[in-house]
Amino acid sequence: MGNILITGHRGWIGSTLTSFLDRQGVSWMGHDYDEGDLKTHLSVFREKLQHCHTVIHLAATARIPPSWQRADHYRENNVAVTDQIARVCAEENKYLIFSSSSSIYGDGQGPLNPYAWSKLAGEQSIEMYGRSKGLRYTILRFFTNYGGVNPDSLVIGKWLRCYKQMQPILLRGTGEQSRDFIHVEDTAEAVYRCVNKRPYGEKLDIGTGVSYKLADIARLFESNIITEPELMGYSFSTRANIDYTKDCLNWCPKQDLMNWIKNELQTFKELSN
């Protein structure tokens, strides 16, 4: 397979991916923001690129709520940096895998918040370099991840933490909203398969194809539930279309969210007794 250059390798998905690659015996190098801003230190990025055949661009400023207050930062960090990475990959004839987001769909008519727009703009920049400079790329649209170190800033990790601390869980909106949740290890395997299969020019959903209502998930925790209005900019429902993804990557997600949560809760109960 040779060397892979990964931006964002110290993040949640990035560290899960690098652990997966290590288990497969795949060589990789990281380029994260504490090594220098990618936009202003392209020479470092370009130098590392000489030893790699593929770039997996995971680094980004994520999450929807802060994007309303920091739209300029999201535009700079997600759009401008992605544009420069795509340009350098095109000039150096390197294959680029870009981690986009299911949020670009909104409720079927496009982005509903600055974060989602920044990811869609990143996609469009990459496609432009594909048309004009022959950039070889694949765009992976990640749906809502969970599992692994499970950041408690995201809903499943947050609810697990509240459950373990015997605190009520917060459910925003009516609970009728539904989400397609994918385990982070399944996401890592999909990226690995993409490196192998190289489906040039494709935009692929990385999810499960199953969407669960948030109220149904919340009830699994057997905790007090408090409700608040939904935050601005979230879609009502997400569901990945993975039929084509399965064919392109020879991949299929293994974990089911509801079973995973039940196992996590049961394990915690057993350890607490």
Side-chain angles (χ1 to χ4, degrees):
M1 231 189 206
N3 276 341
I4 300 169
L5 181 57
I6 304 172
T7 72
H9 69 287
R10 291 194 179 98
W12 173 37
I13 294 176
S15 59
T16 304
L17 173 62
T18 56
S19 294
F20 188 95
L21 296 177
D22 288 342
R23 294 195 298 272
Q24 305 301 316
V26 176
S27 299
W28 60 272
M29 292 192 299
H31 192 95
D32 241 330
Y33 288 110
D34 61 2
E35 299 177 36
D37 183 288
L38 290 178
K39 184 173 183 292
T40 56
H41 293 83
L42 279 180
S43 60
V44 177
F45 178 75
R46 197 184 291 268
E47 172 60 29
K48 289 183 177 181
L49 205 57
Q50 305 310 308
H51 309 284
C52 301
H53 59 74
T54 298
V55 173
I56 301 173
H57 181 34
L58 301 176
T61 302
R63 301 190 67 237
I64 291 170
S67 72
W68 293 106
Q69 287 75 43
R70 305 177 66 205
D72 288 346
H73 173 78
Y74 278 69
R75 183 166 54 249
E76 181 73 11
N77 219 37
N78 293 355
V79 182
V81 170
T82 297
D83 177 78
Q84 297 223 356
I85 286 175
R87 176 175 61 81
V88 173
C89 286
E91 292 171 353
E92 300 292 340
N93 193 29
K94 306 297 182 179
Y95 173 44
L96 174 62
I97 298 172
F98 176 56
S99 66
S100 188
S101 167
S102 63
S103 65
I104 65 106
Y105 293 120
D107 282 320
Q109 296 182 323
L112 295 171
N113 56 77
Y115 166 70
W117 170 83
S118 75
K119 290 307 244 182
L120 181 59
E123 289 190 12
Q124 292 172 341
S125 178
I126 288 167
E127 291 178 296
M128 180 268 292
Y129 285 111
R131 292 188 296 269
S132 62
K133 292 195 171 188
L135 173 65
R136 296 169 297 139
Y137 68 87
T138 304
I139 292 167
L140 303 180
R141 291 169 173 167
F142 294 169
F143 281 67
T144 308
N145 275 254
Y146 70 94
V149 295
N150 219 35
D152 60 15
S153 61
L154 301 177
V155 63
I156 301 302
K158 187 179 298 184
W159 286 357
L160 276 173
R161 174 178 55 80
C162 289
Y163 174 83
K164 292 174 181 179
Q165 296 176 354
M166 294 183 290
Q167 297 174 348
I169 64 175
L170 173 63
L171 177 62
R172 298 191 186 276
T174 64
E176 291 298 301
Q177 315 97 296
S178 62
R179 295 285 181 269
D180 186 331
F181 289 91
I182 180 167
H183 195 280
V184 68
E185 288 283 351
D186 285 329
T187 296
E189 183 178 357
V191 177
Y192 168 71
R193 295 294 183 94
C194 189
V195 174
N196 279 322
K197 296 294 182 180
R198 296 184 165 232
Y200 296 146
E202 299 289 357
K203 292 177 282 192
L204 304 175
D205 285 357
I206 306 299
T208 64
V210 178
S211 190
Y212 289 110
K213 290 183 179 180
L214 296 184
D216 292 338
I217 300 170
R219 280 190 283 269
L220 288 180
F221 289 85
E222 301 175 343
S223 302
N224 290 330
I225 299 173
I226 57 176
T227 60
E228 288 185 0
E230 177 64 286
L231 296 174
M232 179 173 60
Y234 281 88
S235 57
F236 187 77
S237 179
T238 67
R239 185 194 299 267
N241 182 349
I242 63 171
D243 291 339
Y244 188 58
T245 304
K246 289 177 179 178
D247 291 339
C248 277
L249 302 183
N250 190 26
W251 163 88
C252 187
K254 299 180 177 68
Q255 290 276 7
D256 171 75
L257 172 69
M258 302 297 252
N259 289 333
W260 183 87
I261 291 174
K262 291 174 184 177
N263 290 336
E264 287 289 306
L265 298 182
Q266 183 60 37
T267 298
F268 177 74
K269 290 175 182 177
E270 292 172 357
L271 293 175
S272 300
N273 291 334

